[in-house]
């Protein structure tokens, strides 16, 4: 999100040597959170989706693109938690993610 926001702010609409304007990134699509081969067995897909959304939210600015969340049950549940004002400061799920990542890293 930070990279795209900075691009939109500082580079979009600049002209190339041939006069072509660089485009603005208007929509950023978030991937489906499936896990697959690289899935951490100590973290659920919903916890991963929630972490992604918190990261997007933390970096959102005026020049940020519109977010498009790909349809996925884990992403839908995480988005609902965000809508219900569950944040990393007060959420037990966040603490559980940290604990599970620490277990998985050891």
């Amino acid at each position: 999100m930070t990279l795209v926001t900075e691009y939109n702010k500082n580079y979009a609409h600049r002209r190339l040597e041939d006069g072509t304007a660089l485009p603005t990134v208007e929509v950023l699509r978030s991937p489906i959170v499936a896990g697959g081969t690289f899935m951490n067995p100590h973290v659920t897909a919903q916890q991963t989706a929630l972490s992604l959304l918190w990261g997007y939210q933390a970096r959102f600015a005026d020049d940020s693109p519109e977010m498009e969340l790909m349809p996925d049950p884990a992403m839908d549940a995480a988005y609902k938690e965000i809508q219900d004002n569950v944040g990393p400061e007060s959420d037990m799920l966040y603490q559980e993610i940290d604990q599970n990542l620490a277990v998985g890293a050891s």
Side-chain angles (χ1 to χ4, degrees):
M1 179 62 77
T2 301
L3 176 66
V4 174
T5 299
E6 289 297 314
Y7 166 83
N8 279 349
K9 181 179 177 181
N10 298 314
Y11 297 99
H13 304 296
R14 285 192 179 184
R15 300 260 173 212
L16 299 175
E17 289 180 17
D18 67 0
T20 305
L22 293 172
T24 300
V25 177
E26 296 178 13
V27 177
L28 183 65
R29 290 185 181 144
S30 182
I32 293 175
V33 181
T37 304
F38 302 104
M39 183 176 166
N40 182 329
H42 303 287
V43 179
T44 67
Q46 182 179 341
Q47 291 170 329
T48 302
L50 191 56
S51 293
L52 279 171
L53 292 176
W54 283 333
Y56 295 147
Q57 191 175 41
R59 296 293 181 217
F60 199 80
D62 289 338
D63 295 309
S64 295
E66 175 184 329
M67 287 297 304
E68 182 177 303
L69 305 176
M70 302 309 288
D72 176 70
M75 187 64 81
D76 293 343
Y79 184 73
K80 183 177 180 336
E81 287 194 49
I82 295 284
Q83 286 182 313
D84 292 342
N85 296 317
V86 174
E89 310 82 26
S90 62
D91 187 18
M92 295 301 291
L93 182 59
Y94 185 75
Q95 294 172 3
E96 185 181 329
I97 292 169
D98 279 350
Q99 290 170 353
N100 288 341
L101 286 174
V103 168
S106 58

